[in-house]
Amino acid sequence: MAKLHHVISADQFNPEISEKIFEEAERIRGADENSLKDILKNKSIVLLFWESSTRTFLSFYNAILKLGGFPIPILNAGKFSSAIKGESLKDTIRTCADLKADGIIMRHDKEGSAKVAAETLDIYAPKVCLLNAGDGKGEHPTQMLLDVYTLWRMKKEELKKGKLTGALVGDLRDSRVLHSDAKALLKYKTRLILISEKGNDLPPEITAEIKKEKIDYVRTDDIEKFAQEVDFWIFTRLQLERKGISLKNFRPQLQSKFSQKFGITKELLSKMKKDALLLHPLPRVEEIPEWVDEDKRAIYLSGKENSESQVANGLYLRMALLKIIF
Ligand code: NCD
């Protein structure tokens, strides 16, 4: 496997590279915690987050700690770094490097910012790596890795043989998670059911890639139509902030309308395959009501009947990724 340095886009991964990371994640999951403590010894990694985060931030932070490194959190970076005084992204990144950070994990509200940050490092501090923890409505490659890792754990043979049908549901245009997931799944030749409002489709360049690779796909706004054929579902919330609607002015009516069409109902659940998998990068708003958690097909969080947890997989996956990069 070529050396991984920056992680910017799902484009950098193929099944072979991803599976090396998944295998490492499995080893780490089963390892004695003490044996992991020196992997990031003396490494300082800045968590530079412009946008809010629960899972991505916590799992990276905890992954660094468990591997013996030092996480340096800069949360709400737009306010708590000098960005508020007018500092440019490039200068913030160069500052992290000059202060001897070994890596930067960055979440930013602008699409393309991860690439700009990585290019800045390439010029001024080529040893420092940049991990994209979400750039606006661009991509979220580490969420993609943990999503595919979860599928690999649960349906390995079918995934590898291109025998799965996956539904990507909700905000296909603006969900960075679904952008990265779609790019990865087409490399696995997964049949895709793309379910969204017309006009809220995947970006044209990703659809072009799906067509170029001759992936079997359908796009529909009818969530029930193909339910009996779907092996896994990835739901998303309505990405209001990407549509110019401030999250502070939360729009319950917009969200409810969205969830009625692109969320789970009793009816939909009854039509799904008995062994379907229900994934969601979280946060969920109303697309997946809490009562669904009792269903053993729900694996976004560990449940009473099911210990598989996409969230927990995120920790092991990110530990593996950090180990491989460093
Ligand atoms: C996602 C994100 O930030 O893009 N969350 C996450 O990282 N697990 C999904 C979202 O915000 O809808």
Side-chain angles (χ1 to χ4, degrees):
M1 177 165 93
K3 181 103 183 73
L4 255 186
H5 184 55
H6 304 309
V7 175
I8 310 295
S9 162
D11 292 335
Q12 293 169 257
F13 297 89
N14 57 29
E16 194 195 339
I17 299 173
S18 304
E19 283 164 30
K20 292 258 162 21
I21 304 171
F22 303 162
E23 278 155 15
E24 186 62 63
E26 289 297 281
R27 277 193 289 277
I28 286 176
R29 183 188 290 268
D32 168 4
E33 290 223 350
N34 280 323
S35 69
L36 305 170
K37 273 193 344 248
D38 287 338
I39 292 172
L40 289 186
K41 198 174 170 193
N42 299 328
K43 301 276 184 224
S44 310
I45 302 177
V46 178
L47 292 140
L48 188 59
F49 275 54
W50 263 260
E51 288 188 333
S52 57
S53 173
T54 308
R55 282 148 294 276
T56 307
F57 174 77
L58 270 179
S59 58
F60 265 123
Y61 193 106
N62 209 13
I64 297 165
L65 279 183
K66 284 183 182 293
L67 296 174
F70 300 104
I72 306 175
I74 306 181
L75 283 171
N76 207 346
K79 202 164 159 200
F80 290 109
S81 73
S82 285
I84 197 159
K85 301 179 195 166
E87 181 171 84
S88 68
L89 172 62
K90 287 183 183 175
D91 280 1
T92 307
I93 294 294
R94 289 174 67 182
T95 301
C96 292
D98 279 5
L99 293 173
K100 305 297 170 219
D102 296 288
I104 302 170
I105 299 169
M106 186 176 89
R107 169 167 288 190
H108 200 281
D109 55 353
K110 286 204 184 54
E111 182 174 1
S113 53
K115 189 160 174 273
V116 170
E119 286 167 355
T120 305
L121 290 171
D122 287 341
I123 298 169
Y124 296 103
K127 289 206 174 116
V128 182
C129 61
L130 191 289
L131 277 74
N132 179 7
D135 63 331
K137 57 178 158 183
E139 287 213 43
H140 195 345
T142 66
Q143 178 72 40
M144 171 285 281
L145 285 170
L146 80 89
D147 292 351
V148 182
Y149 173 45
T150 304
L151 298 174
W152 181 86
R153 278 173 54 80
M154 303 299 285
K155 292 188 184 283
K156 190 181 294 172
E157 289 317 308
E158 300 100 303
L159 174 72
K160 287 169 75 123
K161 288 186 181 142
K163 294 222 161 98
L164 290 180
T165 295
L168 305 185
V169 193
D171 202 336
L172 295 178
R173 191 183 69 188
D174 291 334
S175 163
R176 55 194 175 197
V177 173
L178 292 186
H179 299 168
S180 294
D181 284 353
K183 286 180 172 195
L185 291 168
L186 70 89
K187 293 190 186 153
Y188 275 98
K189 309 279 177 219
T190 299
R191 177 173 176 239
L192 294 174
I193 313 291
L194 305 172
I195 306 169
S196 68
E197 206 71 82
K198 208 166 173 27
N200 208 20
D201 309 292
L202 282 177
E205 61 281 7
I206 302 181
T207 316
E209 196 60 29
I210 293 175
K211 287 183 184 152
K212 190 174 141 226
E213 293 300 321
K214 300 196 169 52
I215 302 301
D216 182 8
Y217 82 101
V218 275
R219 82 152 309 287
T220 175
D221 63 358
D222 182 349
I223 196 167
E224 290 185 8
K225 195 163 170 194
F226 298 92
Q228 275 118 347
E229 299 167 32
V230 173
D231 299 300
F232 68 88
W233 300 73
I234 305 182
F235 291 88
T236 47
R237 75 185 165 92
L238 181 60
Q239 309 279 307
L240 284 173
E241 73 276 36
R242 313 275 176 232
K243 301 178 196 302
I245 300 171
S246 148
L247 286 176
K248 281 193 215 116
N249 305 327
F250 177 62
R251 301 282 173 88
Q253 63 284 25
L254 278 180
Q255 184 61 56
S256 298
K257 217 170 133 215
F258 173 85
S259 304
Q260 275 161 25
K261 253 190 119 172
F262 304 111
I264 301 186
T265 57
K266 293 231 152 71
E267 176 113 45
L268 176 65
L269 208 53
S270 70
K271 290 189 174 160
M272 286 179 182
K273 282 183 157 184
K274 296 280 164 281
D275 63 346
L277 302 173
L278 306 179
L279 285 81
H280 194 308
L282 304 176
R284 58 174 153 170
V285 187
E286 289 168 24
E287 321 75 59
I288 305 190
E290 273 183 32
W291 56 260
V292 179
D293 302 359
E294 302 299 320
D295 193 293
K296 68 174 183 5
R297 293 169 285 188
I299 55 167
Y300 32 88
L301 286 162
S302 56
K304 288 182 198 146
E305 277 195 61
N306 197 338
S307 60
E308 185 68 14
S309 157
Q310 201 183 341
V311 169
N313 290 344
L315 173 67
Y316 300 117
L317 185 284
R318 289 184 170 116
M319 288 173 80
L321 185 64
L322 290 169
K323 180 176 176 201
I324 288 171
I325 290 174
F326 286 95

